[in-house]
Amino acid sequence: MRLLSVFQLTTNMMRGVVLLLVCWSALCAGDTPANCMYEDIRGTWTFYETERSGDNTINCDTLGPIVHTKTFTLSFPDTVMDELNNEGTWTMVWNQGFEVNINERSYFAFSDYEGNFGNAMSYCDRTSNGWSRDKTIRNWSCFVANKTTPVAPHPTRKMTVVESQLQQHYHNDHNMIHNINTMQTSWTAKAYPQHEKYTVQEMLNRGGGVASMLTSPPTPAPATPEQKARVSLLPDNFDWRDISGENYVTPVRDQGGCGSCYTFASMAQVEARIKIATNNQRTDVFSTQDVVSCSVLSQGCAGGFNFLIAGRYAQDQGLVAEECNTYTGNDDPCNTDTSCGRTYVSDYEYLGGYFGACNEEIMLQTLVENGPMSVSYMVYDDFHNYEGGIYHYTGMKNEFNPFENVNHAVLLVGYGVEPTTGEKFWIIKNSWSDTWGEDGYFRIRRGTNECGIESMAVEITAIP
Ligand SMILES: *[C@@H]1O[C@H](CO)[C@@H](O)[C@H](O)[C@H]1NC(C)=O
Ligand SMILES: *[C@@H]1O[C@H](CO)[C@@H](O)[C@H](O)[C@H]1NC(C)=O
């Protein structure tokens, strides 16, 4: 209780980095500045698992007695094998942790670390307490895993922006905007006066939050001949907002100053998939606050990941309607109306099967065949001022605001080719209100992994 009031007080005073310092342990089980790479994780692990007696309300803050010990060997690219040579699959989740699926069970844990976003050590050869459950999602346990070969602890990248800078107000840099508009003709920039109500911290949050700043996205996988052949049959232009006059995308929202883009992108994906599956009979808007406040798989207003929310959270816990926990944009305690019905997904994956397997071709095909997908990309200084056109990073810096480059989650809804220049683009729904960009959407260069946009799409199957 005492901790909770400190938590609330701090949240009201200032969100973000200070909050992370205060609530590093039990309250924010998901907060993680861990920075673990594929080669750190690949190898042989011992999984220590508690009794399989829990349900999806299980609390793994403390572990309890270990009753199962398993050895899993994680190999390239996504194969896992146990001591009896049973096979399964695994994937990295960004640089934050990894998921293992084997013997009808799914395991996820964040990698271990000590410290906070200003200064942290990653311990990539061990996990924090994680969650394990069977295929039915009814049979749960907790676990922790240790790698059999040690990985030297390494310091994570420090934020270059200091606390006093984070609390400054954001300023539009009119000189930068002018330079963007004179140096190229593919897109136009403008000042958004409404951004100046936010602090630098909040603008960072709008772009993905500090949890996402620590690494670069993976490079796309080479397209197979089969992928290329299938893409050649697709239309040149495609947009889920207008399929023979029908719109399968829900309205653009505004995440405010909270680093909750990942939940807006995730909810938007499930919403679109439900609209498609029911031929627009269901037009749900799901609660993003439920995820911010209630999910142990995200970092609330400090960031999170589509794979864990559109995927694992929606499968494990299900999603509720917006009115069951209306959006406040704060790290409020969980108070979702428990009488609300829940909507689930039956399957999820990083497109291509694992983190690192994505590319333009498989995105095009899956987009057309299955529906909008949550994607992410790096937000650089110039992006905030996007007005319209086909975005690419100009390299321009905002001289007034010290920024980190963060990873922003959004919803891919379509693609096309600009008829006069032949420039290929993606059409993407943002969560910065419909007064930003092209009615809340933007287009970004396609086919060159611009800002990492072709590196980590998430695919789901929603259950209407
Ligand atoms: C969970 O599954 C295990 C087998 O993996 C079984 O022994 C156990 O009884 C199940 N627990 C519950 C609560 O159903
Ligand atoms: C995992 O490794 C850590 C650090 O080496 C150790 O403290 C811990 O006891 C190990 N966990 C188990 C369950 O053996």
Side-chain angles (χ1 to χ4, degrees):
M1 275 291 114
R2 207 188 111 251
L3 265 178
L4 195 64
S5 61
V6 172
F7 176 71
Q8 282 167 322
L9 188 70
T10 312
T11 308
N12 293 340
M13 276 162 49
M14 55 180 85
R15 285 169 227 126
V17 167
V18 168
L19 170 69
L20 298 171
L21 288 167
V22 173
C23 67
W24 174 59
S25 59
L27 279 170
C28 305
D31 292 337
T32 163
N35 183 25
C36 296
M37 297 290 122
Y38 188 89
E39 289 306 324
D40 297 332
I41 302 299
R42 178 157 81 126
T44 301
W45 290 74
T46 309
F47 278 51
Y48 303 93
E49 195 184 332
T50 61
E51 193 186 358
R52 294 172 177 174
S53 56
D55 60 17
N56 69 350
T57 64
I58 199 166
N59 182 332
C60 294
D61 289 349
T62 52
L63 209 53
I66 302 298
V67 297
H68 304 275
T69 302
K70 307 267 170 206
T71 303
F72 294 140
T73 300
L74 280 45
S75 313
F76 179 84
D78 68 333
T79 316
V80 54
M81 214 175 258
D82 70 4
E83 56 274 68
L84 302 171
N85 289 346
N86 295 304
E87 263 195 45
T89 59
W90 73 285
T91 182
M92 297 289 293
V93 178
W94 189 238
N95 61 345
Q96 301 272 290
F98 58 99
E99 184 183 79
V100 171
N101 294 294
I102 188 168
N103 298 337
E104 306 288 304
R105 285 190 87 76
S106 179
Y107 300 79
F108 171 75
F110 289 103
S111 292
D112 203 12
Y113 68 93
E114 278 170 15
N116 56 63
F117 285 102
N119 194 0
M121 289 293 275
S122 297
Y123 298 96
C124 300
D125 55 4
R126 58 188 209 233
T127 70
S128 305
N129 292 355
W131 304 266
S132 156
R133 40 83 171 164
D134 72 350
K135 282 256 149 104
T136 70
I137 332 282
R138 294 207 168 83
N139 185 312
W140 286 63
S141 58
C142 303
F143 78 98
V144 69
N146 277 1
K147 204 174 179 190
T148 55
T149 47
V151 176
H154 45 81
T156 57
R157 212 192 95 198
K158 285 183 184 157
M159 281 184 30
T160 55
V161 181
V162 301
E163 181 61 35
S164 59
Q165 293 174 318
L166 288 174
Q167 302 316 322
Q168 288 169 14
H169 269 265
Y170 172 87
H171 290 288
N172 285 292
D173 181 340
H174 296 276
N175 195 33
M176 176 183 79
I177 292 166
H178 173 79
N179 288 341
I180 294 168
N181 289 334
T182 48
M183 74 188 290
Q184 52 82 45
T185 55
S186 182
W187 64 281
T188 58
K190 72 172 184 185
Y192 287 95
Q194 64 264 42
H195 286 172
E196 301 198 344
K197 73 177 183 228
Y198 293 117
T199 61
V200 169
Q201 168 83 70
E202 288 170 327
M203 285 298 279
L204 272 176
N205 282 344
R206 280 169 75 77
V210 285
S212 70
M213 75 169 197
L214 297 160
T215 191
S216 306
T219 46
T224 63
E226 196 211 2
Q227 285 174 346
K228 285 185 178 153
R230 296 181 78 154
V231 162
S232 68
L233 305 173
L234 298 175
D236 289 340
N237 295 280
F238 189 86
D239 187 346
W240 278 106
R241 294 172 301 175
D242 181 8
I243 304 290
S244 312
E246 281 285 315
N247 180 0
Y248 293 95
V249 184
T250 50
V252 170
R253 301 184 65 184
D254 191 348
Q255 68 186 86
C258 169
S260 50
C261 56
Y262 65 90
T263 177
F264 282 86
S266 295
M267 299 305 110
Q269 178 169 13
V270 183
E271 288 161 9
R273 296 303 182 91
I274 295 283
K275 277 168 74 82
I276 293 167
T278 64
N279 203 11
N280 268 334
Q281 294 310 293
R282 272 184 69 175
T283 55
D284 304 61
V285 172
F286 293 116
S287 168
T288 47
Q289 191 63 42
D290 172 67
V291 174
V292 168
S293 292
C294 307
S295 176
V296 292
L297 298 177
S298 83
Q299 294 83 50
C301 283
F305 295 90
N306 301 335
F307 177 83
L308 293 175
I309 299 304
R312 198 169 178 97
Y313 184 74
Q315 179 164 57
D316 287 357
Q317 309 294 345
L319 310 180
V320 294
E322 170 65 11
E323 51 272 23
C324 300
N325 194 347
T326 39
Y327 190 62
T328 66
N330 293 316
D331 278 307
D332 297 328
C334 178
N335 68 351
T336 298
D337 180 348
T338 52
S339 68
C340 287
R342 291 194 171 250
T343 297
Y344 295 88
V345 309
S346 57
D347 279 299
Y348 62 92
E349 64 173 15
Y350 278 115
L351 197 57
Y354 56 91
F355 187 73
C358 197
N359 61 36
E360 180 197 2
E361 286 79 4
I362 189 171
M363 285 168 71
L364 288 167
Q365 187 200 327
T366 311
L367 177 70
V368 171
E369 288 178 2
N370 297 353
M373 271 176 298
S374 51
V375 293
S376 57
Y377 66 102
M378 301 308 288
V379 168
Y380 297 103
D381 293 23
D382 62 356
F383 185 78
H384 294 108
N385 297 100
Y386 171 87
E387 178 183 32
I390 302 170
Y391 174 81
H392 65 270
Y393 176 41
T394 60
M396 301 304 295
K397 296 287 290 177
N398 180 319
E399 299 297 338
F400 295 132
N401 307 282
F403 266 123
E404 300 282 351
N405 301 328
V406 287
N407 194 263
H408 186 42
V410 285
L411 187 75
L412 172 64
V413 305
Y415 63 85
V417 181
E418 220 283 315
T420 51
T421 62
E423 189 174 14
K424 299 194 298 176
F425 59 84
W426 298 110
I427 307 169
I428 294 180
K429 181 190 184 187
N430 200 353
S431 48
W432 293 355
S433 93
D434 60 8
T435 60
W436 179 90
E438 297 180 332
D439 299 321
Y441 287 77
F442 65 97
R443 288 175 292 155
I444 187 172
R445 190 176 276 173
R446 169 165 64 93
T448 54
N449 195 30
E450 181 66 36
C451 300
I453 193 74
E454 283 141 22
S455 63
M456 45 191 286
V458 170
E459 171 58 354
I460 61 164
T461 308
I463 310 172

